[in-house]
């Protein structure tokens, strides 16, 4: 407004008397106070503070006044304009606050509406169980070993002290592949990974191997031609059965809860000597007062969990480990079986049916 | 192995306070696991008594049957002392016989409750029982007639029939064949149960010396048959019944009583562990000869199966030819029959490996074979044969023939050097040498020396061959429960491998994308591949076949995850689910024309070359990732309609995985089954094809019961993981102003957008920051057979503000190259 007075029109000149300026100010303040919404205030701003407003026009007149009158008039008009602008800003803030409050109320939605526009995915509980077990052992310093499921007969059997005429071979109903003279099987156990590990690494060896295995079992509630095992193998100097027991006790307590330990029963596996069946203390009744009614362990207080033992020196020899220097232990558990009793599943078939509702129930962590 | 507890106690004394539960708990802890304690009469409740038949009146019925209206004396068992009136349909008894009566209020196996009921014009107050009705066997020729001295009328019959007997079932591991006998179990009780004493070995008896008067036997293969003992009983009464105690015991053991001669051989096998074979001696012609079969020879075994023999089979012959598969199963011609009066008893020791092979070859699984192939005490042939003779004479009224044939001698047990501290070293618990020696002697070993012990196992323990085997014997008897629990200290590990971590990342990524992981069986058949529409020369038809598949329709290992995934998707649809997204990661099996996998020696490590050859003999087994989606990708709801899955979701699923691995996938049109020929993308990384994705062919959808527009992808995850970006460098981004240019290009409809984009990128040069296809238009404005592709290009320099016209020039260069490469014309 302090620029050249180009559009000065002397006809419109308003006297700059004090009472007139005061009247303009009062009119403007009244209009500001009367503005009931932001649109009205915008109009008020235009009319009372805009370029064409009486006070703006009065301001332009100041330049035309004699020099001695300019100061007083300038002060008077300036104060009036300042008051009006201040009032507009204050009113603006009030109206904006009111507006925002009203808008937020108006925009209220029903937040209880269903929101699932995108399906949730999940990982298979057996994958999760395998990873959980692997992680328990990785935390102890083990590594995770792997091997093929279509495996050489020698690695699945012979190298593990299961020669061709070993009666125990018939205990594992094996899938054989064509042609028969190629000596290739679907691995019946994760133990060939033991042999592979010893053949490719030097002791100390601390590994676990979760994986799929196959037996010619007809598919029903408790049998599956494919299931999952986790195998553990340790080969080091001075390894004993006590280390095996300590490891499995730790494993059991990590998987099934604090205080859950294991029980060994003599058993027979060609690849270990001595061999043991390992039972885990029932994590539901803990073998305590409720044992008789316990459905998880069927009243035994213990649940059959897997097999284990001290690695048979014959296996060490076949795999290039000197049994006079090193000894080892090995164990194997069913992952599906562990999952079943840990999660109260009586029929294994949902594991392999792939009903998305069933798998989804387990999400991405178990 | 099942046996009545009372039978065990015939050979070993157990303190009275040791219950069956305690006895079997101890056996379980030393290695004979309790499978269960049964009682034959466990299911029978209420009054079950001896009755004497007083009268029986046959009454013919209209239905042609004749029933007997009987009065039976049960004394006071019925509360009145009056004779009990009972209707009976059987006829194998007479007045005066003792029978088994269940009175009203009793319950028989199967929950069969007995009450007085009206039938055939009488009130029948109870039932006269058959063996089958009591759960004692399948014999249903009639009711049980008790021996005249069995008991008094009214007396509870459970004890008489052995119904209250406790039968224990023990699991016998294959190395403990000796425990497949009462002799072995009693011995285990002796060493396992505190206070057990007085072991009486049923195989220790005075036997007559061998002489020349017995049936002539020639053993031509002394390795296959080291010992052959033959004894004869003449004047045997083939109708003589099997004594109840023998019948009950072999029934309890799970075998069926057949006839006295057969039952006695089974009984002695159970008692001593030594399988026995009995021949009808009158059917034998000349000397028995033991030899290997010759090519082309045949034998019909007593199960009625005609078998072609293998030259490795051990056979027993006489002048008539082959009469038995030695140690495995006898032949039909010399089988004991209902007219046999002269029995030749064979107790022979056979080579275990030969027994195993013959049993496997002929698929014969028998109680005798089970013992022979696991190893039987070779020193007890004479005792076992003598015991059979004794029982046949005693219960069959025959005479023992004085002839005793014994050919061969039991092989000596090898002596093994066992370090005295081995049990302690293996177990990690304190076991002294003295304790080891004591326990080894307890299980029957001969032990001498100190420091390094010389140990000879007893003849019934052929499983004890290695030093470590003996340590197990010591440790199990000290007690596995005494082994301390000590954590070993592994060296610090390296954690999961990179590939293992990346595979987990892949699974999590897909779960995040809404896919549910499934696990399928890897079995597939040709029909599955037909359903996929694979052409005859498709590589995926080259399958690794199984010799013994569970189903002939799925007789091979799959080469693709799609059949399993599509079937699983179909099952979900069948369960009424309309929106399904699933994935699977699993290996597939790709044969590669390998040579055989050698059976290497086990007395040394294979050479690296041998091990390498073993691996190469296996089929390739790459890890694949497959996914299938159908229905809505984004669900419909109150917010509006959902979004159906499309071919692009399948590509995007794989892209999400690639992205998680730091890889960029290139897509190219491809025609590959089972995909829609116009909606299949071949996906590659750096020019290496990793798999395919797109919409599933409508015919394939139909074949798998899936809705149209189901989408699928399958890629080789190993390749992706292998190429995953390892170390990512920290990026830097220009903060200078961006210049945006949009272009719309019209191309022939057949031109791939990927080619247009590649040309634009190349033509635009280094200043191009990003390019995005934001619209695809087909229609009147561009003309038939043409499409318009609209791209948003962003230009920026890393170190300066672009000069006026620089971006436009780069855009023009991009359009020019696209025009040159793809015939693209800028849309006006």
């Amino acid at each position: 407004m302090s620029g050249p007075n180009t559009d000065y029109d002397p006809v419109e000149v308003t006297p700059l008397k004090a009472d007139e300026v005061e009247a303009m100010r009062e009119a403007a303040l009244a209009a500001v106070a009367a503005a009931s919404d932001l649109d009205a205030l915008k109009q008020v701003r235009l009319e009372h503070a805009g370029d064409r407003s009486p006070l703006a026009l009065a301001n332009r007149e100041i330049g035309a006044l004699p020099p001695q009158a300019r100061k007083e008039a300038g002060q008077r008009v300036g104060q009036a304009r300042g008051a009006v602008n201040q009032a507009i800003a204050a009113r603006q803030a009030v109206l904006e606050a009111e507006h925002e409050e009203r808008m937020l109320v108006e925009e209220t939605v029903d937040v209880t509406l269903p929101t699932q526009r995108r399906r949730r995915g999940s990982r298979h509980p057996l994958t999760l169980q395998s990873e959980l077990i692997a992680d328990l052992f990785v935390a102890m310093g083990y590594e995770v070993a792997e091997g093929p499921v279509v495996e050489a007969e020698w690695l699945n059997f012979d190298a593990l002290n299961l020669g061709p005429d070993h009666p125990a071979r018939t205990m594992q109903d094996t899938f054989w592949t064509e042609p028969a003279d190629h000596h290739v099987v679907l691995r019946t156990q994760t133990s060939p990974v033991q042999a592979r590990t010893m053949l490719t690494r030097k002791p100390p060896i601390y590994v676990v191997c979760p994986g799929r295995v196959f037996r010619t079992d007809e598919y029903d509630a408790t049998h599956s031609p494919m299931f999952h095992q986790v195998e553990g193998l340790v080969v080091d100097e001075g390894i004993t059965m006590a280390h095996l027991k300590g490891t499995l006790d730790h494993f059991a307590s990590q998987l099934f809860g604090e205080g859950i330990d294991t029980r060994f029963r003599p058993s027979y596996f060609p690849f270990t000597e001595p061999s043991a069946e390992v039972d885990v203390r029932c994590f539901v009744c803990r073998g305590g007062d409720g044992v008789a009614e316990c459905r998880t362990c069927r009243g035994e207080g213990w649940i059959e969990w897997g097999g284990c033992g001290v690695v048979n020196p014959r296996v060490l020899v076949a795999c290039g480990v000197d049994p006079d220097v090193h000894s080892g232990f090995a164990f194997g558990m069913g992952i599906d079986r562990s999952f079943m009793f840990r999660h109260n599943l009586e029929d294994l078939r949902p594991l392999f049916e792939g009903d998305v509702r069933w798998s989804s129930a387990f999400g991405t962590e178990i | 192995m099942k046996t009545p507890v009372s039978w065990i106690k015939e050979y070993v004394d157990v303190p009275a306070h040791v219950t069956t539960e305690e006895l079997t708990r101890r056996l379980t802890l030393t290695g004979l696991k309790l499978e269960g304690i049964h009682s034959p009469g466990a299911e029978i409740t209420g009054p079950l008594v001896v009755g004497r038949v007083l009268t029986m009146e046959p009454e013919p019925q209209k239905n042609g049957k004749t029933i007997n209206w009987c009065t039976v004396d049960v004394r006071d068992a019925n509360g009145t002392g009056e004779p009990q009136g009972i209707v009976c349909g059987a006829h194998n008894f007479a007045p005066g016989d003792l029978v088994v009566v269940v009175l009203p209020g009793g319950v028989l196996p199967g929950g069969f409750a007995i009450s007085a009921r009206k039938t055939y014009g009488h009130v029948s107050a109870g039932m006269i029982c058959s063996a089958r009705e009591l759960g004692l066997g399948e014999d249903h020729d009639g009711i049980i007639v008790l021996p005249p001295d069995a008991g008094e009328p009214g007396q509870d019959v459970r004890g008489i029939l052995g119904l209250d007997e406790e039968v224990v079932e023990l699991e016998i591991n294959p190395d403990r064949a000796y425990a497949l006998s009462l002799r072995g179990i009693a011995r285990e009780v002796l060493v396992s149960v505190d206070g057990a004493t007085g072991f009486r070995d049923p195989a220790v008896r005075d036997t007559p010396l061998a002489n020349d008067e017995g049936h002539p036997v020639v053993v031509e293969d002394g390795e296959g048959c080291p010992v052959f003992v033959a004894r004869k009983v003449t004047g045997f009464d083939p109708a003589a019944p099997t004594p109840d105690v023998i019948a009950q015991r072999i029934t309890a053991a799970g075998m069926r009583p057949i006839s006295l001669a057969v039952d006695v051989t089974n009984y002695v096998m159970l008692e001593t562990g030594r399988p026995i074979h009995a021949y009808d001696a009158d059917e034998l012609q000349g000397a028995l000869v033991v030899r290997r079969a010759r090519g082309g020879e045949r034998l019909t075994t007593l199960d009625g199966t005609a078998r072609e023999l293998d030259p490795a089979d051990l056979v027993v012959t006489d002048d008539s030819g082959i009469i038995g598969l030695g140690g495995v199963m006898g032949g039909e011609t010399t089988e004991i029959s209902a007219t046999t009066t002269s029995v030749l008893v064979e107790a022979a020791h056979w080579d275990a490996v030969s027994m195993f092979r013959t049993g496997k070859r002929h698929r014969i699984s028998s109680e005798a074979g089970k013992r022979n192939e696991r190893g039987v005490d070779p020193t007890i042939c004479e005792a076992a044969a003598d015991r059979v003779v004794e029982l046949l004479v005693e219960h069959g009224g025959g005479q023992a023939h004085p002839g005793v044939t014994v050919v061969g001698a039991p092989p000596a047990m090898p002596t093994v050097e066992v370090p005295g501290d081995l049990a302690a070293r293996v177990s990690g618990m304190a076991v002294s040498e003295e304790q080891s020696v004591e326990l080894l002697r307890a299980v029957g070993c001969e032990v001498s020396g100190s420091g390094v012990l010389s140990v000879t196992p007893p003849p019934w323990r052929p499983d004890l061959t290695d030093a470590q085997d003996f340590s197990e014997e010591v440790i199990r008897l000290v007690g596995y429960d005494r082994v301390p629990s000590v954590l070993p200290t592994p060296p610090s590990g390296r954690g999961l491998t990179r590939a293992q971590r990346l595979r987990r990342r892949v699974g999590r990524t897909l779960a995040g994308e809404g896919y549910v992981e499934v696990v399928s069986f890897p079995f597939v058949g040709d029909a599955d591949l037909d359903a996929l529409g694979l052409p005859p020369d498709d590589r995926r038809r080259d399958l690794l076949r199984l010799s013994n598949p569970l189903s002939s329709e799925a007789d091979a290992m799959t080469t693709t995850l799609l059949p399993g995934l599509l079937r699983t998707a179909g099952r979900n649809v069948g369960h009424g689910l309309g929106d399904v997204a699933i994935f699977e990661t699993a290996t597939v099996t790709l044969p590669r024309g390998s040579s055989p996998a050698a059976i290497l020696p086990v007395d040394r490590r294979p050479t690296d070359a041998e091990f390498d050859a073993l691996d190469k003999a296996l089929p390739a087994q790459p890890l694949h990732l497959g996914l299938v989606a159908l229905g809505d990708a984004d669900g419909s709801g109150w917010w509006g309609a959902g979004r159906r899955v499309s071919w692009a979701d399948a590509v995007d699923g794989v892209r999400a995985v690639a992205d998680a691995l730091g890889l960029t996938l290139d897509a190219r049109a491809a025609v590959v089954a089972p995909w829609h020929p116009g909606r299949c993308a071949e996906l590659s990384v750096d020019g290496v094809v990793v798999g395919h994705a797109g919409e599933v062919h409508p015919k394939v959808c139909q074949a798998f019961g899936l809705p149209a527009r189901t989408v699928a992808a399958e890629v080789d995850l190993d390749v992706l993981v292998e190429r995953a970006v390892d170390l990512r460098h920290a990026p830097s981004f220009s903060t200078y102003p961006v210049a945006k240019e949009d272009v719309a290009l019209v191309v022939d409809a057949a031109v791939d957008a990927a080619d247009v984009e590649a040309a634009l990128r190349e033509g635009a040069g280094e200043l191009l920051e990003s390019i995005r296809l934001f619209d695809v238009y087909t229609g009147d404005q561009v003309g038939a057979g043409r499409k318009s592709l609209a791209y948003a290009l962003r230009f920026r320099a890393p170190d300066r503000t672009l000069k006026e016209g620089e971006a436009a020039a780069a855009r023009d260069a991009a359009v020019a190259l696209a025009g040159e490469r793809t015939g693209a014309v800028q849309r006006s």
Side-chain angles (χ1 to χ4, degrees):
Chain A
M1 302 310 115
S2 55
N5 238 341
T6 47
D7 56 353
Y8 169 59
D9 180 357
V11 180
E12 290 181 26
V13 165
T14 315
L16 295 174
K17 288 178 185 159
D19 58 339
E20 287 175 358
V21 171
E22 183 60 21
M24 288 177 209
R25 171 184 162 136
E26 290 306 321
L29 293 179
V32 168
S36 62
D37 59 29
L38 288 167
D39 283 343
L41 187 63
K42 194 173 172 188
Q43 193 56 40
V44 169
R45 186 198 301 273
L46 214 62
E47 284 169 15
H48 294 280
D51 287 354
R52 295 269 171 194
S53 65
L55 279 168
L57 294 175
N59 196 44
R60 290 184 200 173
E61 290 299 313
I62 293 169
L65 290 176
Q68 63 274 29
R70 281 184 202 165
K71 189 180 171 195
E72 193 193 336
Q75 241 170 24
R76 190 178 298 137
V77 174
Q79 276 171 4
R81 293 183 78 194
V84 171
N85 281 336
Q86 217 173 2
I88 289 172
R91 187 66 187 148
Q92 174 89 17
V94 168
L95 289 177
E96 272 179 7
E98 278 176 15
H99 175 75
E100 189 177 81
E101 202 174 329
R102 195 168 58 248
M103 285 309 292
L104 292 180
V105 169
E106 279 172 12
E107 287 175 5
T108 297
V109 295
D110 177 2
V111 297
T112 67
L113 285 170
T115 58
Q116 195 183 356
R117 303 178 187 216
R118 186 103 217 225
R119 283 187 303 265
R120 277 149 187 70
S122 66
R123 303 186 69 208
H124 196 277
L126 288 179
T127 308
L128 298 171
Q129 180 83 67
S130 298
E131 290 180 1
L132 178 64
I133 291 171
D135 287 345
L136 297 180
F137 281 95
V138 167
M140 285 191 258
Y142 286 55
E143 292 178 13
V144 178
E146 291 162 357
V149 297
V150 179
E151 183 60 285
E153 177 185 352
W154 187 81
L155 283 162
N156 192 69
F157 289 124
D158 302 68
L160 301 169
N161 193 33
L162 267 150
D165 297 315
H166 206 296
R169 266 208 195 191
T170 52
M171 285 160 62
Q172 301 182 353
D173 299 316
T174 311
F175 280 110
W176 295 87
T177 70
E178 298 282 352
D181 60 1
H182 274 214
H183 304 293
V184 171
V185 301
L186 305 193
R187 69 178 179 196
T188 57
Q189 48 194 355
T190 39
S191 310
V193 184
Q194 270 187 44
R196 286 178 171 274
T197 304
M198 286 188 272
L199 286 165
T200 51
R201 296 183 187 207
K202 294 216 175 315
I205 291 170
Y206 289 78
V207 294
V208 282
C209 165
R212 294 179 178 184
V213 300
F214 297 85
R215 306 269 174 97
T216 56
D217 285 328
E218 291 289 345
Y219 186 46
D220 61 28
T222 54
H223 296 86
S224 169
M226 177 179 88
F227 56 100
H228 299 72
Q229 274 189 345
V230 60
E231 185 97 0
L233 172 71
V234 166
V235 180
D236 204 343
E237 289 180 27
I239 289 297
T240 69
M241 235 176 138
H243 294 129
L244 171 61
K245 180 86 167 84
T247 302
L248 292 181
D249 281 344
H250 180 73
F251 182 16
S253 70
Q254 293 296 299
L255 200 57
F256 299 110
E258 211 48 52
I260 298 301
D261 57 358
T262 62
R263 176 180 79 171
F264 284 8
R265 283 182 287 109
S267 186
Y268 174 72
F269 308 107
F271 26 93
T272 49
E273 185 76 33
S275 302
E277 293 278 348
V278 53
D279 298 338
V280 64
R281 185 180 296 279
C282 179
F283 55 93
V284 176
C285 70
R286 292 181 176 245
D289 293 340
V291 63
E293 295 82 42
C294 186
R295 287 178 56 203
T296 302
C297 63
R298 296 195 169 82
E300 299 207 2
W302 296 92
I303 303 165
E304 281 188 39
W305 195 23
C308 65
V310 174
V311 180
N312 193 314
R314 289 183 187 228
V315 176
L316 296 178
V317 167
C319 297
V321 175
D322 183 351
D324 291 333
V325 179
H326 291 104
S327 56
F329 67 71
F331 58 84
M333 276 86 192
I335 293 176
D336 318 41
R337 193 178 146 65
S338 299
F339 173 83
M340 285 175 75
F341 64 73
R342 189 170 179 252
H343 294 268
N344 215 5
L345 175 67
E346 287 185 358
D347 183 336
L348 62 76
R349 284 173 290 196
L351 292 168
F352 305 112
E353 298 291 292
D355 188 311
V356 296
R357 296 167 300 179
W358 191 83
S359 282
S360 299
F362 297 94
T364 52
E365 199 68 51
I366 53 172
Chain B
M1 174 87 186
K2 286 192 277 192
T3 170
V5 176
S6 63
W7 198 8
I8 301 175
K9 291 180 176 171
E10 215 164 86
Y11 310 105
V12 63
D13 298 328
V14 178
H17 63 84
V18 176
T19 60
T20 300
E21 283 72 21
E22 173 60 13
L23 180 90
T24 51
R25 192 185 70 82
R26 285 302 310 166
L27 287 177
T28 297
L29 288 177
T30 53
L32 303 187
K33 193 197 172 217
L34 177 70
E35 289 286 306
I37 301 176
H38 319 283
S39 178
E43 282 189 75
I44 302 172
T45 58
L48 185 73
V49 299
V50 178
R52 186 181 300 282
V53 180
L54 300 175
T55 64
M56 59 188 288
E57 300 293 332
E59 295 180 357
Q61 301 295 316
K62 282 186 214 133
N63 62 10
K65 274 169 59 171
T66 301
I67 60 104
N68 289 302
W69 169 239
C70 310
T71 55
V72 184
D73 174 15
V74 294
R75 302 276 162 87
D76 291 332
N78 56 6
T80 64
E82 293 296 314
Q84 195 81 358
I86 299 175
V87 171
C88 183
H91 304 281
N92 64 324
F93 62 102
D97 280 349
L98 290 183
V99 295
V100 178
V101 178
V102 57
L103 295 172
V107 179
L108 296 185
F112 182 20
I114 305 299
S115 59
R117 63 190 182 94
K118 230 178 154 185
T119 181
Y120 295 113
H122 299 281
V123 174
S124 181
M127 192 168 91
I128 303 177
C129 300
S130 69
R132 189 169 60 146
E133 284 153 353
L134 297 178
L136 285 176
E138 288 306 303
D139 180 14
H140 41 85
D141 290 344
I143 52 105
I144 298 173
V145 179
L146 296 168
D149 58 350
E152 290 302 312
Q155 188 185 338
D156 192 293
V157 85
R158 288 175 176 79
I160 298 168
L161 291 177
L163 287 170
D164 53 359
E165 180 78 84
E166 276 180 317
V167 174
V168 294
E169 182 175 3
L170 302 168
E171 184 185 296
I172 311 296
N173 288 317
D175 61 332
R176 295 193 193 283
Y178 69 95
L180 291 169
S181 69
L182 269 298
R183 180 188 189 220
I185 291 171
R187 197 186 298 276
E188 280 298 303
V189 169
L190 180 74
V191 296
S192 305
V193 178
D194 284 341
T197 55
F199 175 65
R200 296 171 289 280
D201 189 341
V204 172
R205 51 191 290 124
D206 288 330
T207 53
L209 291 175
N211 55 44
D212 295 336
E213 295 159 48
H215 195 93
V217 173
V218 179
V219 175
E220 290 181 358
D221 191 325
E223 232 167 80
C225 180
V227 186
F228 194 110
V229 172
R231 295 282 301 275
K232 193 148 76 173
V233 174
T234 55
F236 174 76
D237 171 11
T242 301
D244 285 346
V245 65
I246 291 180
Q248 281 165 20
R249 284 173 173 177
I250 63 177
T251 302
M255 302 173 86
R256 211 157 50 91
I258 293 164
S259 68
L260 177 62
V262 175
D263 296 347
V264 160
T265 59
N266 284 332
Y267 184 77
V268 173
M269 174 178 73
L270 291 169
E271 190 176 51
T272 63
R274 163 58 63 200
I276 310 278
H277 187 65
Y279 301 89
D280 184 333
D282 293 333
E283 297 295 331
L284 294 176
Q285 301 169 28
L288 294 184
V289 177
V290 178
R291 61 165 171 85
R292 301 276 171 180
R294 297 179 187 125
E297 285 184 320
R298 301 176 65 84
L299 169 70
T300 300
T301 41
L302 49 76
D303 59 356
T305 308
R307 300 174 188 276
E308 177 124 1
L309 302 180
D310 185 277
D313 291 332
L314 282 162
V315 295
V316 179
T317 69
D318 69 0
D319 292 351
S320 72
I322 298 176
I323 57 171
L325 212 41
V328 178
M329 194 174 273
E332 247 180 358
T333 55
T334 55
E335 196 184 346
I336 297 289
S337 72
T339 58
T340 299
T341 58
S342 183
V343 179
L344 186 82
V345 177
E346 166 206 300
H349 185 66
W350 304 93
D351 173 56
V353 169
S354 187
M355 294 297 103
F356 176 71
R357 288 184 183 165
T358 294
K360 203 163 102 175
R361 194 179 296 125
H362 296 289
R363 305 215 166 124
I364 298 175
S365 163
S366 66
E367 290 289 332
K370 190 161 82 180
R371 289 166 176 80
N372 279 328
E373 71 186 30
R374 290 169 196 211
V376 184
D377 186 342
T379 64
I380 62 168
C381 295
E382 288 167 77
D386 191 55
R387 174 73 168 141
V388 172
V389 169
E390 176 187 58
L391 291 171
L392 290 180
V393 168
E394 184 180 341
H395 302 291
Q399 295 89 44
H401 188 277
V404 177
T405 307
V406 178
V407 178
M413 299 303 285
T415 298
V416 183
E417 307 270 272
V418 181
D421 64 346
L422 187 63
R425 272 196 282 135
V426 167
S427 65
M429 63 179 167
V431 183
S432 68
E433 185 174 312
E434 293 68 34
Q435 201 177 358
S436 292
V437 171
E438 184 192 321
L439 292 172
L440 288 173
R441 286 189 176 136
V443 297
C445 296
E446 284 170 28
V447 188
S448 63
S450 68
V452 176
L453 309 173
S454 293
V455 187
T456 310
W460 60 88
R461 294 300 302 269
D463 59 302
L464 300 177
T465 58
D466 295 7
Q468 207 131 316
D469 299 338
F470 294 93
S471 78
E472 181 183 75
E473 287 303 299
V474 173
I475 297 165
R476 77 179 176 95
L477 292 179
V478 172
Y480 276 16
D481 52 339
R482 307 259 293 272
V483 173
S485 182
V486 179
L487 265 178
T489 46
S492 42
R494 291 167 294 188
L496 296 177
T497 64
R498 200 175 120 68
Q500 286 162 351
R501 281 186 283 116
L502 292 180
R503 277 182 238 137
R504 290 185 177 193
R505 192 191 291 172
V506 167
R508 282 198 290 265
T509 299
L510 283 169
E513 293 286 315
Y515 288 86
V516 175
E517 188 178 14
V518 300
V519 173
S520 315
F521 295 151
F523 308 121
V524 77
D526 293 321
D528 295 311
L529 303 183
D530 294 343
L532 286 186
L534 301 192
D537 60 346
D538 194 293
R539 268 188 64 224
R540 289 168 289 176
R541 282 194 181 273
D542 183 12
L543 299 169
L544 179 75
R545 303 278 171 181
L546 298 171
S547 312
N548 53 340
L550 287 181
S551 149
S552 56
E553 273 120 57
D555 64 344
M557 295 299 281
T558 194
T559 50
T560 159
L561 301 182
L562 294 174
L565 280 166
L566 293 171
R567 264 197 306 266
T568 301
R571 262 198 304 275
N572 277 286
V573 169
H575 293 170
L577 302 175
D579 309 322
V580 177
I582 53 176
F583 80 99
E584 176 165 27
T585 57
T587 56
V588 296
T589 305
L590 309 177
R592 47 185 174 187
S594 322
S595 47
I599 299 296
L600 301 169
V602 293
D603 55 354
R604 60 161 174 88
R605 182 194 190 279
T607 64
D608 289 345
E610 284 171 333
F611 182 53
D612 202 39
L614 217 50
D615 252 343
K616 288 217 172 68
L618 300 177
Q621 297 171 62
L623 185 69
H624 275 202
L625 161 68
L627 57 85
V628 167
L630 58 91
D632 276 351
D634 295 326
S636 60
W638 56 269
W639 54 82
R643 187 181 66 75
R644 307 295 287 176
V645 295
S646 78
W647 64 272
D649 288 287
V651 177
D652 205 41
V654 181
R655 282 217 160 101
V657 167
D659 193 47
L661 300 175
L663 296 170
T664 307
L665 285 181
D666 297 318
R668 193 139 287 291
V671 179
V672 176
W675 284 277
H676 184 308
R679 297 182 173 186
C680 172
E682 175 191 273
L683 302 173
S684 57
V685 176
D686 300 335
V688 177
V689 175
V690 295
H692 298 86
E695 187 177 307
V696 177
H697 196 291
K699 278 209 181 81
V700 178
C701 290
Q702 214 174 4
F704 283 90
L706 296 168
R709 311 261 178 253
T710 294
V711 303
E714 179 167 22
V715 294
D716 186 327
L717 198 55
D718 278 344
V719 175
L720 289 179
V721 165
E722 197 179 297
R723 289 177 173 260
V725 175
D726 189 357
L727 191 62
R728 294 193 219 206
H729 292 283
S732 66
F733 294 105
S734 171
T735 52
Y736 290 93
V738 65
K740 300 175 186 172
E741 297 280 347
D742 289 356
V743 293
L745 300 176
V746 177
V747 293
D748 198 82
V751 171
D752 283 351
D755 291 337
V756 178
E757 184 177 316
L760 285 173
R761 269 183 196 282
E762 192 182 328
E766 283 185 350
L767 294 177
L768 182 72
E769 182 181 81
S770 71
I771 183 168
R772 182 170 62 88
L773 177 65
F774 67 87
D775 191 34
V776 178
Y777 171 78
T778 54
D780 294 345
Q781 292 181 34
V782 293
R786 311 276 285 166
K787 64 184 172 188
S788 164
L789 305 171
Y791 291 92
L793 288 72
R794 290 162 65 92
F795 295 93
R796 186 145 40 183
D799 53 352
R800 62 189 168 85
T801 302
L802 292 182
K803 290 198 274 296
E804 186 89 26
E806 240 184 319
R811 177 204 64 202
D812 291 345
V815 170
L817 191 64
E820 195 181 303
R821 293 260 178 89
T822 67
V825 181
Q826 196 159 5
R827 195 171 162 196
S828 46

